[in-house]
Amino acid sequence: MKGIKYFIAIMLFTGFTACKQDVLDIAPTTLLNKDQIFSSEAGVNAYFASMYYELPVLDFSYVNGQYGYNNFPAEGNTYTGNWTYEFLDGGPGYSGNNHNPNNGNSDFASWRKCYKAIRNVNSFLADVAVVSLAENKRIAYTAEARFLRAYNYMHLARIYGGVPILLENQVFDGGADTSPLNVPRNNESAVWDQVKADLDYAVSNLPETSVYGRANKYAALGILSRAMLFAGSVAKFGTVQINGLAGIEASKANSYLEASYAASKAIIDSKKYSLYNNYPTDKARNFQMLFIEVDKRGANPEAIFCKGWDYETTRYTHSQDCFALPEFIKGRSGYANRQQPSLDIVEMFEHVDGTPGTLNIGTAPTTASPTGAYVHYATVADLFKDFDPRFFGSILTSGQTFKNTLITAQRGVLDHTVTANFGRVQGNAKLQYYDAAQKKMVATGTPIVGTGNSRENSYSFWNKKYLDPDRPASLCGTWDSETDFIDIRYAEILLNFAEAADYLGKPGALESINLIRARAGIVPLASVDQARIRHERIVELAFENQLFFDMRRWRILTSEFNNRPRYGLDIYYDVQGKDYVFEKVTGSGNRTYNQDGRLNYEQIPLAERSKNPLLVNNPLY
Amino acid sequence: MRKILFMLLACCMSLKIYAQNITVNGKVFDESGQPLIGAAIKVKAGTPGTSTNTEGQFSIQVAPGTVLTISYLGFVSKDVPVTSTTRDLNIKLEPDNKNLEEVVVVGYGTQTKGTLTGAVSNVSAKDIVKNTNSDVTNTLTGRAPGVRITQLSSQPGSYDTQIDIRGFSGVAANEGNVDGALTIGGPLIIVDGVQRDKSGFDRLDPNEIESISVLKDATAAIYGVQAANGVLLITTKKGKSGKVKISYSTRLGQQHITKYPELSNAYQYAVLYDELQTNANISSRSRYTPPRFTAEEIEKYRTGELGSVDYLRTVLSPTTTQQQHNLNLSGGTDKLRFFASGGFFNDGGLYTTGIDWGKKYNGRLNMDAEVLKGLTFNMNVSFINTVSQGASGSTLNFLKNAWRVDPTEPLYSNNDPLYPKKFLNTQTTHPLAEITKELSGYRKVNDKFLTSTFELKYSIPWVKGLAARTQFAYDNRYNLNKTFVKRYNTYSYLYNSATATYYQDPSAIGNASTLNEPFGQTTRKFMQGGLNYNHRFGRHNVGALALVEQTQRENRSHETSTQYVIDAVDQLNAGSRATDKVNSSFSQSANLSYVGKTNYDFAGRYLAEFGFRYDGSSRFPKNSRWGFFPYVSAGWRISEEPFIKKKIPFMDNLKIRATYGVLGDDGAADYQWLTGFTYPGGGNRGAQFGNDYVNGVDFKNSPNNNITWYTSTTSNIGLDASFWNGKLSLEADVFRRDRDGLLTFRNTSVPDTYGVTLPQVNLNEDRTQGFELVLGHRNNVGQVSYSISANMSYARTLNRYREELPATSDYDRWRNRSRDRYNDVVFGYRTAGQFQNFEEIFAWPQIDDNGNRTLLPGDIKLVDINGDGVVNTLDQVVIGRGGSKPAIYFATNMEVSWKGFDLSTLFQGATMYQVKYEDQLSRPFYFEGANPINTFFDRWHREDVFNLNSPWVAGRWPATGQRAKQYDTNTFRRFDATYLRIKELTLGYTLPTALTRRIRVDNLRIFGTCYNLYTFHGGLDFVDPEFTDDRAYGYNYPLTRNMNLGIQVNF
């Protein structure tokens, strides 16, 4: 019995002794240290994967003025095209999200995101310099990281002008005084010089080829070409403001342009890339498939630097199809119609013979002239007869077939026996078919041939670039799309080359432009000037998030965009004539914008200015 | 004289008839000689009793040898034997101080209510079983002042309640945080001495609970970790020695929706839709849009010639059923006692297809054994399994979409029930299909909770009063959550002009069919060893406690999902391997604590206690992981002083008590003191390299080496009083809690150029203050005994320090910063009613930046506070409270019993709070073409929608449409969320024992009970006012009123 007492004592004692302090030392299970990262190629790849993820590539994830995978691309006006005349506003019920520099959040969150990305690159550069590594690898890694840093600074400079340049990471002790972290802005030219320095290093030290999605020598040259053209244009067309924090002295223009010219020329001379021409007999399809046959869909000789997306295995996806598709063939999410090309951009496409693309539609009846003078076309497609094949590759409109569905969008019908509204009977989302007997739009019943898919607003055009023609509409929801994005394509290099050559008075501009026109399938030009080069650029690179920044560097956003109503096209089916008539109307909401000269730079985020008094804001804010 | 003779004769006759009976007269009085009116006199054998009259006298005829039981509320019952010589009885009843002797569970022990010094509320078993909701948290509503419960849903299987004590939780550590706000947890939950999760507590069977204590002040510090938000101590039932008692209770009932918005019918919809367009044509002056519905169509909708569908009715049925069963056994010998219980709860859902339901199965075995003299072993094992099913989509999205459907749209394409209609507006899902398992799939949640506690206690024989104890607990929770989303078709009835035929054109809803199966396992191991000492030396009572305890937690989960080529089989292995996805997570944490406590009282008059806890957490780095949390408390029972006792004899108890202490919380994210790379990075943080997607890393490159506990310093002063043997009682508490070192992110003050997601830092400070009051009264009137207890609590939190952007001006500081400001203030426009006509509109300061030309009669007059002629953001001022929770909660409990009947009610309410309606509750056509709730038909409008010159007709809401600033936060659109709810009403009847004995039943009670019976509300017309936090935009699963009938039988 005594033994049991000891047993009890031991039992009770274990309660005390079982508790040990080392239970509190729990090692993390998902945290790697620097050495674990650099000890394998896979570790470095993972590090690079994150740095590429943070790269401000203006692709499908560049939405709501922000970029990055996690931004929900809702509510349409997602692309910079809405900040120019490329697109009309978003759909009905959409409250307007146009570029508004007065809005404290209009900096596309670029400030925070880019500095975060830059810090990670700088950490990498600091680490790669000290870890034990083969020297050739150390140099290649450094070159690639500097390419990524340059890309981020390029984005910052395009948005804000001069920004603080941080090449080494700051150290913060967590104390109350944060003032040692406050750094002032550098001059805009200093930022572009830094971009150039990083890219020059990358060009010299990156390999000629790389795995898809990662930078090589030519990707670095491509970004150099783009960045230096931007800097050169700012110097050439802009003015120096706030002591050079915004704007660049005109004297520096040529050196930047020379750098761009040289970079473009190096790519052209390498003969590694060429204009995509897989369907030489069907130029429209050729231009459409240029944006689809990338990576797994087929080799694309034009793609210099791409960002890949993938649905099947990782759902690393975007939502381009969901938001751009016409309502009638939209996916399950309910979104559609979010990228509506304006009539303005439509008419910039020429005819194949080089004549301007201004549509011959006559005039609509008005109270003053009740008869009007419509021009009648047998089919909608006839209106766009002999248009630049790039139009059919870039823009969807009534009369085209897409995803095996004929697009029949129209505003309504023209019935000459109806007196109200000059015979125009308009449909809407619910009432789409014309009942000739009742003289009204109906939802069901026995509609007449030639009507269908009416809508309140003048939706006649949709962006077609990067819309996957083979993806069933039911698989076009949010986060369902996996088309890759070509960030730098050879055509842009040719256009950059032509533009720089023209500014510098060097030869080669005409040849470059005509290469592009020949591929497009329209007549070559006999001569080029600044206006022709810009025009070609707008048409070729439409809806690729370029025009906004081009207009910004050309310093024409104010004159081209302010107070400018954007136009759409109404299509009516003539019930008696059994043909179609057209009417030019101001786009949805009839909104115009007036942003003074502020359009050239975003404001430095308000929160940043309040934290860091050294930051001088951009002019006119 | 003849009269007297006659009476004597009558007496003789009666004596003859009841040969053995004698008449007993008596008087009942209290210790001071005051007669007790209405005292019950019962005869034990079961013959009818009587009660005392206004002089405290009674008279009864009984047989000699019987025993009379005299009872009176608040006094100890007395048994008086009647002998053949008994005639006049003078019965003095001794006051029953049971109320003060009531044992209350406190930190690591029990105390009597009389000697309690902390602010502790106690809820007893009898109140806990009254609730008919599956979630046991709801039983605390209104029962304990300062405990604030919000029931968020009646969805079966959701267990969706919020609980906080004195407003001590639910505060996001940093609202401005860019990387996801962190919410600080609710109260610490201790079941049978061991920390357990709220989800397990929610699911406990009320029949298994003996009591719940709520520690609200610094005395909670003894529980250290997370005790800063208060502690709930739950004790489960134990067996009592004696014959095995069997108790069975069951309840069957119906649930009704308490309150839910109603949608417009097709006529109202058509009218409002046309008004929207005509109003917009005027106010926005954009392109003219003709009205969608013609006058003839509207008339046809009005007369019903054209159909209308109530989509909400289609998917929500107004009632559903519920049932509950519990069987428990208890008994044992002196050496071995047990309590065993088994229960089943079945909750029906409100969806018309019956897709949603919840079931709960639970079992428990509690055993106490005396192994040796002085050595006891105790074991509590419980198992709970909850299973619930619902629609595959989220409730929020489902209800949001069901509200949206245009009521002129028929349910089926071409009215053929085989073909769900493809709706013509932007809405794509079909509400009925979304809750049809065969079409859209389902979600099934299966939770299993195993909790076990083992304890050895040994009274050490060498030292009197010293006991040693060791405890071990092991809990395991499995969670399997299966969501099977099926792709289904909606149809359009279309005309094919080529073949001149009509056909049903399918349109797929949903991507490929998918199955997602997350599986999680949480285990917790707990160990404790301690010594306990309690001894009385004369009038000195001394107690001490020392213990060490350790908790280890482990969370493990993996989630597998796949897509289907053929979706007939809802199993993972039927999916397409190319689309499989796997995710997993694993985490561990641990706490180690040393606890000490000592208490002393002198003659139950002067009370003092000191305790501490030294706590270590694995969440913090070695140098800052330990926190020391001491507390002191003291009490003075003034009523025990002899001079008071003499002077104020009717005062049973008067006690002043105070506590002060420091508590801690380790609610921080793990490993914030380490740098490195988290792999794989979250949220698809990677890139496509070549043909492969490469996982990236998350960068953790700024550590906080000093991250540690946040502390909360709590003080509480209380007063307890009780008079006339508990007929009147009062409890009052005033408290303050200062929290320091609340975790926040420095991102708001560190420039973004630094480039880092900063770790949390212990920086913010706040202060919560408030008071609680409980008033009680109980009495007997005749055979009716009743009690009323009313309580209220008030709490409000001030942000003493907030890490935030520096203010750029005094105005900016006042308007946009939250430092030194209460956390519930709401800024907005003041309003002055509605515009009655255009003259008023044009005379008003400019609201719309357009000379008020876009405004219409009925629009809200926003007040130009600064008088600059323009209404803009500078005119926004503090207009009320919101965002947090109501400042005042109150409740009244009432109990009445008469003979076998018992009636109890609980009224509960809240005030000092306003709510803004969100989304579709806020305005008609919040989404394009969405069906407005029908309240918006009561609006300003033109008499004839087609005649723009017709006169305006007034209504409650402004004219349909969106006009400048009308929906910005303003007093017109914030509604008083005050409510008073009859939370519970129970009426029971216990059958007379004489009757039940015949069927060998000790006790049989039948009862009816209502939960959420009726609500009186302040300003909230179409939502349940308990949704005080604007949650889910109003798209809540409805709350229900539960009406139950039940039987309770004890054998």
Side-chain angles (χ1 to χ4, degrees), chain B residues 573-591:
Chain B
N573 63 0
S576 142
R577 289 291 77 83
T579 56
D580 289 351
K581 257 186 114 174
V582 177
N583 246 317
S584 76
S585 75
F586 177 76
S587 71
Q588 282 176 302
S589 66
N591 289 96

Side-chain angles (χ1 to χ4, degrees), chain B residues 829-834 844 860-863 879 969-973:
Chain B
Y829 294 106
R830 288 208 190 121
T831 57
Q834 288 165 283
W844 197 260
I860 303 157
K861 294 174 173 172
L862 304 177
V863 177
I879 56 167
T969 306
N970 62 53
T971 49
F972 184 88
R973 296 197 179 274

Side-chain angles (χ1 to χ4, degrees), chain A residues 124-433:
Chain A
F124 181 86
L125 287 168
D127 290 344
V128 83
V130 294
V131 293
S132 68
L133 209 60
E135 198 55 28
N136 60 338
K137 274 196 174 171
R138 193 192 310 279
I139 290 169
Y141 290 163
T142 305
E144 192 170 356
R146 289 187 70 172
F147 164 83
L148 297 169
R149 184 167 70 186
Y151 201 114
N152 278 290
Y153 274 115
M154 171 183 77
H155 187 62
L156 284 171
R158 291 198 297 185
I159 304 272
Y160 306 104
V163 294
I165 299 175
L166 290 156
L167 303 179
E168 278 171 18
N169 284 340
Q170 296 171 302
V171 178
F172 175 50
D173 61 2
D177 182 17
T178 59
S179 59
L181 299 176
N182 293 347
V183 280
R185 293 173 67 180
N186 289 80
N187 278 358
E188 179 165 356
S189 60
V191 180
W192 289 115
D193 292 343
Q194 178 57 39
V195 170
K196 183 169 187 304
D198 276 340
L199 288 173
D200 282 345
Y201 183 88
V203 168
S204 323
N205 294 293
L206 277 172
E208 294 259 321
T209 58
S210 63
V211 67
Y212 177 84
R214 291 179 73 164
N216 56 24
K217 179 181 178 176
Y218 299 101
L221 282 167
I223 294 299
L224 189 62
S225 158
R226 182 187 288 173
M228 292 299 105
L229 186 61
F230 197 101
S233 308
V234 168
K236 191 173 166 66
F237 302 109
T239 50
V240 176
Q241 293 169 295
I242 45 176
N243 299 320
L245 295 181
I248 302 171
E249 302 89 315
S251 60
K252 291 186 176 167
N254 276 9
S255 67
Y256 289 128
L257 293 170
E258 290 279 4
S260 174
Y261 179 86
S264 305
K265 192 163 187 309
I267 298 173
I268 295 166
D269 290 348
S270 77
K271 302 210 184 310
K272 297 243 176 206
Y273 300 93
S274 63
L275 292 173
Y276 171 96
N277 210 10
N278 281 12
Y279 304 91
T281 56
D282 185 347
K283 288 294 192 184
R285 178 167 170 77
N286 190 56
F287 198 70
Q288 182 191 1
M289 297 312 284
L290 153 63
F291 303 98
I292 303 300
E293 292 187 342
V294 190
D295 182 28
K296 49 192 174 288
R297 314 283 186 97
N300 190 326
E302 187 166 341
I304 298 174
F305 181 59
C306 297
K307 181 168 168 184
W309 298 88
D310 169 73
Y311 180 81
E312 282 301 322
T313 51
T314 58
R315 315 280 146 76
Y316 181 68
T317 52
H318 57 85
S319 311
Q320 171 73 1
D321 293 286
C322 170
F323 289 97
L325 273 177
E327 174 127 8
F328 339 109
I329 48 175
K330 69 184 175 185
R332 72 182 189 284
S333 311
Y335 301 98
N337 288 343
R338 303 297 193 183
Q339 291 175 29
Q340 301 277 308
S342 65
L343 188 62
D344 310 55
I345 194 96
V346 166
E347 291 191 324
M348 288 190 85
F349 287 87
E350 299 159 52
H351 291 96
V352 283
D353 59 5
T355 53
T358 315
L359 296 173
N360 176 26
I361 54 173
T363 54
T366 60
T367 320
S369 156
T371 50
Y374 285 121
V375 178
H376 291 252
Y377 289 86
T379 65
V380 177
D382 283 352
L383 179 66
F384 303 103
K385 194 164 178 287
D386 295 329
F387 250 53
D388 182 341
R390 284 178 293 183
F391 170 79
F392 302 102
S394 310
I395 293 173
L396 267 176
T397 188
S398 255
Q400 290 186 36
T401 298
F402 194 64
K403 293 185 197 288
N404 300 319
T405 307
L406 177 69
I407 312 282
T408 59
Q410 59 196 19
R411 183 81 170 103
V413 298
L414 185 66
D415 185 340
H416 298 282
T417 65
V418 173
T419 47
N421 202 17
F422 305 106
R424 290 175 295 207
V425 182
Q426 294 166 340
N428 56 37
K430 199 176 157 85
L431 309 174
Q432 303 182 335
Y433 305 97

Side-chain angles (χ1 to χ4, degrees), chain A residues 482-497:
Chain A
E482 56 172 344
T483 41
D484 291 0
F485 183 76
I486 313 176
D487 186 27
I488 309 168
R489 59 187 180 100
Y490 189 59
E492 185 201 339
I493 299 301
L494 290 175
L495 288 162
N496 291 352
F497 178 78

Side-chain angles (χ1 to χ4, degrees), chain B residues 20 29 95 124 199 235 246 487 674 848 902 997 1012 1016:
Chain B
Q20 293 107 334
F29 47 89
S124 67
S199 51
T235 312
I246 303 170
R487 183 179 175 188
L674 294 177
D848 63 352
D902 60 274
R997 280 275 163 75
N1012 283 343
F1016 305 91

